Amino acid sequence: MSITDMLSADDIAAALQECQDPDTFEPQKFFQTSGLSKMSASQLKDVFRFIDNDQSGYLDGEELRYFLQRFQSDARELTESETKSLMEAADNDGDGKIGADEFQEMVHS
């Protein structure tokens, strides 16, 4: 399975274009442009499993740093501040990782 089985390649490209420069990644804008915010809870769980590179059931800081590259392999890495902001936006229980439910809440907030 590929991310383009779940999201439009054009929407992904547009979302990545909006944040191609360092420190320009805005999660809610990315979720909106890419089409993630329009997805159902079960669809977002599929996307989460795709982003969860090590299949641990959680996204940690390392996986978040490469978040954009899960959508397109040549996309840039998130900066340290972007990674930290993304973690803070979703890690509701403060355990230092993002579960599928936290991911869904963040996308739909």
Side-chain angles (χ1 to χ4, degrees):
M1 177 164 60
S2 136
I3 195 73
T4 54
D5 293 335
M6 298 176 266
L7 295 166
S8 151
D10 289 341
D11 290 347
I12 292 170
L16 291 170
Q17 178 68 29
E18 290 176 347
C19 63
Q20 69 180 344
D21 295 324
D23 295 316
T24 60
F25 177 72
E26 297 176 26
Q28 293 307 320
K29 187 174 183 181
F30 182 86
F31 301 149
Q32 186 69 38
T33 303
S34 67
L36 283 169
S37 62
K38 298 174 193 154
M39 298 181 95
S40 70
S42 65
Q43 290 172 314
L44 282 175
K45 286 192 191 290
D46 290 338
V47 172
F48 177 87
R49 283 191 286 277
F50 183 80
I51 296 168
D52 181 14
N53 203 36
D54 64 4
Q55 300 302 302
S56 66
Y58 295 96
L59 302 178
D60 60 22
E62 186 73 8
E63 286 170 307
L64 291 181
R65 189 171 88 197
Y66 299 106
F67 179 81
L68 297 178
Q69 294 174 354
R70 298 302 290 158
F71 292 86
Q72 186 174 302
S73 61
D74 63 350
R76 70 175 179 87
E77 293 176 17
L78 293 180
T79 65
E80 188 174 324
S81 63
E82 289 170 323
T83 302
K84 183 179 177 185
S85 294
L86 187 55
M87 178 66 76
E88 289 172 355
D91 184 18
N92 297 328
D93 60 10
D95 65 356
K97 52 191 177 183
I98 300 170
D101 291 338
E102 290 172 315
F103 179 74
Q104 179 196 335
E105 285 177 38
M106 175 180 59
V107 171
H108 283 155
S109 67

